[in-house]
Amino acid sequence: MPPTKTAARQIVDALLAHGVDHVFCVPGESYLAVLDALYDVRDRIRLVTCRHEAGAANMAEAYGKLTGRPGVCMVTRGPGATHASIGVHTAEQDSTPMILFVGQIARGDRGRGAFQEVDYAAAFGPLAKWAVELDDPCRTAEIVGRAFATAMQGRRGPVVVALPEDMQLEPAIGPEPRPLPVARAALPAETLAAIGERLEAAERPIVVLGGSGWTEPALAQFSAWLEARQLPVVLSFRRKALIDNDHPCYAGDLGLGPNPKLIARIKAADLVLAIGARLGENPTQGYTLFTAEETAQRLVHIHAGPEELNRVWPAAIAAAADPDEAALALSTLTPGRRWPEAREAARAEYEAFTAPIAVEAAVNLSQVVAHMVEALPRDAIICNGAGNFAAWLHRFDRRRGFATQLAPTSGAMGYGFPAAIAAKLVRPEREVVCFAGDGDFLMTAQELATAVQHGANVVTVVVDNGAYGTIRMHQEREYPGRVAATELTNPDFTAYARAFGAWAETVERTEDFPAAFAAARAAGRPALIHLKTDVEQIAPGRTLTALRKK
Ligand SMILES: Cc1ncc(C[n+]2csc(CCOP(=O)(O)OP(=O)(O)O)c2C)c(N)n1
Ligand SMILES: [Mg+2]
């Protein structure tokens, strides 16, 4: 008989069974046994050690977003887990499969207020899809298996599993971990037929895609169907990579600062076919895009999580189905009615809105972004966090390939840079660019050390306007001229990056950007462009002076 496994070994065997190939972590004494078990499989699971748990958790979230499989993060109890919570929050808001393992105090000390003690089920209960403590080593396969299934089934999301220190060393007598089939839901035939009928009767239909759980073949087939039907399609907030932005039916995205003509078009639609999108606060422009009366008449809502249906928007037809299953089924609806005029008009509005604009400053971000789009290959991955710099990116950028955007719908600053590192580690053959704000970047900038250590040669563009610009914009609108807490005295980002061993250069004029960008891409190590901009250009087409006058 083989010697009995420890729970720590069983946990790692479960990771292997579920196809885990990367673990993003900051080590802690609370899970030494698991780290030791990971040592034995270091040729199969790459352990990426980070400099802050927010970095590690964001990387795991980005892994989940990129691959569609749960990203795995491991952190220590108390301070490690609380640092990592931002990644769990983003995974929850963004419906991303992710599992956070947390070392926990010994079971016998529970409730004593022991060193770094936290009740994880209570602390992460509202943040995660499921938060559990693995108490019984013999149930390791069951609990870890359920964690993977929970993260992947229905609306995807994060799971937190606490691992008491003493439990990790106990024998795990019980079933071997095995891969589980992910339960999926398809569109019922009668629902498909009902949608087909509504579509035939529609004068001004529009399709909205969003959410997670998509697959490339399904989107390819659906894209072809959209073109055959000449149906305008809109993408939800920070889901710009679901459809090739050059697609003739693509009409724009529903983010912050969207095309007003697109908003008018959606409001005027007599059929909104929403697949995978929750239709949350940002894409619905603060819940103003529709009224409940309208959606009850016009909305066909398909989402993997039944709890998202009829949650905010009463639907005319609601269906709990995985988005790719639904898209594949819809694309079998034989060509009937087409809407070429609407398609063409919507596309023309998109092209006009996303053409670079004139800016009275040395750096024109619309041209910088347009240059990046043209210079990079179609499968390059673009990552960002939160801030007004991202409004320039989202408006002027064109995503052209599946899973080429990693952006937090949660609006978490500090997301883009660790996401870029994760993307480069998982897809080393792709080019990866992080577009960051000065405030945004410095929230996780210490992961430059991680990028250098693990050879993640990403290019980062830091848009330095010396301000928490987004908040400054709101401030000037609500309290003109009373600038509080939004001015930033920044480091020399070029010197900072070089100190980590990265390539770096400062750019102060639009015309100098292309050469610097080419050099950064060719640097052969992590690279950073410190792009100095004028805070006066607070958002595309908006200046601080104009805001104050209003
Ligand atoms: C973690 C986190 N903290 C605070 C905020 C609130 N917030 C949103 S945007 C922003 C400023 C972003 O500044 P920067 O990255 O410099 O971008 P800019 O708006 O200047 O382009 C802040 C503080 C947030 N979204 N996330
Ligand atoms: Mg800024």
Side-chain angles (χ1 to χ4, degrees):
M1 256 190 46
T4 311
K5 280 197 238 177
T6 62
R9 165 79 34 164
Q10 187 80 318
I11 290 162
V12 170
D13 281 351
L15 298 183
L16 287 171
H18 293 284
V20 172
D21 49 16
H22 284 75
V23 170
F24 303 93
C25 76
V26 174
E29 69 274 32
S30 60
Y31 68 103
L32 281 178
V34 175
L35 286 173
D36 186 65
L38 281 166
Y39 180 81
D40 284 332
V41 299
R42 60 195 180 281
D43 57 332
R44 282 180 286 169
I45 295 180
R46 185 176 195 179
L47 193 54
V48 181
T49 189
C50 301
R51 302 309 175 103
H52 191 296
E53 289 84 356
N58 282 327
M59 287 182 208
E61 201 281 348
Y63 178 103
K65 218 174 232 152
L66 186 64
T67 65
R69 290 178 282 120
V72 174
C73 182
M74 286 188 187
V75 298
T76 198
R77 55 203 177 192
T82 45
H83 268 174
S85 61
I86 190 166
V88 177
H89 179 254
T90 294
E92 195 280 328
Q93 290 247 309
D94 292 33
S95 312
T96 305
M98 172 181 170
I99 302 178
L100 174 68
F101 289 96
V102 184
Q104 169 65 313
I105 58 159
R107 286 165 296 181
D109 293 335
R110 238 186 257 155
R112 288 177 162 167
F115 181 57
Q116 302 179 335
E117 181 176 1
V118 167
D119 175 346
Y120 296 99
F124 283 95
L127 273 188
K129 239 183 128 176
W130 185 43
V132 65
E133 193 149 315
L134 174 49
D135 267 345
D136 178 352
C138 301
R139 291 178 62 191
T140 299
E142 172 196 332
I143 299 294
V144 178
R146 181 171 160 200
F148 276 86
T150 303
M152 287 294 291
Q153 290 173 177
R155 178 181 166 192
R156 279 61 164 169
V159 173
V160 177
V161 185
L163 308 171
E165 199 177 325
D166 58 322
M167 181 281 305
Q168 295 170 35
L169 292 167
E170 287 187 348
I173 304 154
E176 280 298 299
R178 64 185 78 251
L180 298 171
V182 175
R184 302 176 53 78
L187 213 52
E190 60 275 20
T191 308
L192 180 62
I195 296 172
E197 274 171 34
R198 284 217 165 226
L199 205 51
E200 290 307 313
E203 299 296 332
R204 296 174 307 281
I206 202 150
V207 176
V208 180
L209 305 185
S212 64
W214 289 94
T215 52
E216 193 171 8
L219 280 166
Q221 190 167 318
F222 192 66
S223 294
W225 178 76
L226 287 171
E227 193 168 352
R229 301 300 296 260
Q230 294 285 290
L231 245 173
V233 61
V234 177
L235 297 173
S236 191
F237 180 50
R238 296 188 168 160
R239 303 292 186 183
K240 277 187 59 151
L242 291 177
I243 294 279
D244 179 350
N245 295 180
D246 293 334
H247 190 289
C249 298
Y250 178 56
D253 66 321
L254 277 174
L256 307 163
N259 185 351
K261 292 194 172 158
L262 180 64
I263 298 298
R265 195 168 275 284
I266 297 172
K267 281 182 185 274
D270 61 352
L271 174 66
V272 177
L273 174 52
I275 311 172
R278 288 200 295 128
L279 301 175
E281 180 175 353
N282 283 329
T284 63
Q285 313 299 304
Y287 301 109
T288 63
L289 190 58
F290 316 109
T291 65
E293 290 72 24
E294 286 164 355
T295 58
Q297 300 294 320
R298 308 176 194 165
L299 176 65
V300 174
H301 201 179
I302 303 171
H303 199 283
E307 70 282 5
E308 298 304 328
L309 298 167
N310 296 308
R311 176 177 177 173
V312 181
W313 308 112
I317 298 178
D322 281 90
D324 51 343
E325 298 281 355
L328 283 172
L330 285 163
S331 59
T332 63
L333 286 174
T334 41
R337 193 157 178 188
R338 299 160 82 248
W339 299 267
E341 290 85 14
R343 198 270 320 142
E344 204 180 321
R347 181 67 196 175
E349 287 164 8
Y350 165 76
E351 303 233 0
F353 184 69
T354 57
I357 57 172
V359 167
E360 277 179 39
V363 169
N364 180 338
L365 282 178
S366 70
Q367 285 172 350
V368 165
V369 173
H371 172 76
M372 292 197 321
V373 172
E374 289 325 307
L376 289 168
R378 299 178 73 84
D379 67 352
I381 299 169
I382 299 264
C383 311
N384 66 270
N388 269 21
F389 66 91
W392 296 87
L393 176 69
H394 297 330
R395 176 156 162 190
F396 301 105
D397 178 33
R398 286 200 181 180
R399 297 294 80 226
R400 289 162 167 167
F402 178 70
T404 58
Q405 181 189 37
L406 297 172
T409 74
S410 66
M413 289 171 73
Y415 176 84
F417 186 53
I421 295 170
K424 190 68 189 173
L425 293 176
V426 178
R427 302 267 186 268
E429 72 288 358
R430 303 258 209 106
E431 283 198 57
V432 182
V433 174
C434 166
F435 200 72
D438 47 346
D440 168 51
F441 178 65
L442 269 192
M443 286 203 178
T444 45
Q446 75 285 345
E447 301 305 334
L448 266 166
T450 309
V452 170
Q453 180 170 344
H454 295 277
N457 297 340
V458 304
V459 174
T460 301
V461 178
V462 178
V463 179
D464 177 7
N465 58 4
Y468 285 134
T470 312
I471 311 306
R472 174 82 186 271
M473 176 179 75
H474 294 303
Q475 207 160 54
E476 293 284 0
R477 202 187 50 227
E478 305 288 332
Y479 309 97
R482 294 169 62 85
V483 180
T486 52
E487 287 173 314
L488 297 175
T489 301
N490 278 324
D492 172 345
F493 284 102
T494 293
Y496 176 82
R498 285 179 185 161
F500 285 87
W503 178 99
E505 206 169 283
T506 303
V507 170
E508 302 191 49
R509 301 182 313 168
T510 309
E511 54 270 37
D512 296 334
F513 183 79
F517 192 55
R521 292 169 62 204
R525 55 198 158 114
L528 181 144
I529 295 175
H530 178 194
L531 185 59
K532 290 193 168 176
T533 63
D534 184 355
V535 70
E536 168 70 3
Q537 304 297 329
I538 196 66
R542 281 202 212 172
T543 60
L544 282 181
T545 311
L547 259 185
R548 275 189 187 176
K549 279 195 190 134
K550 260 192 191 170

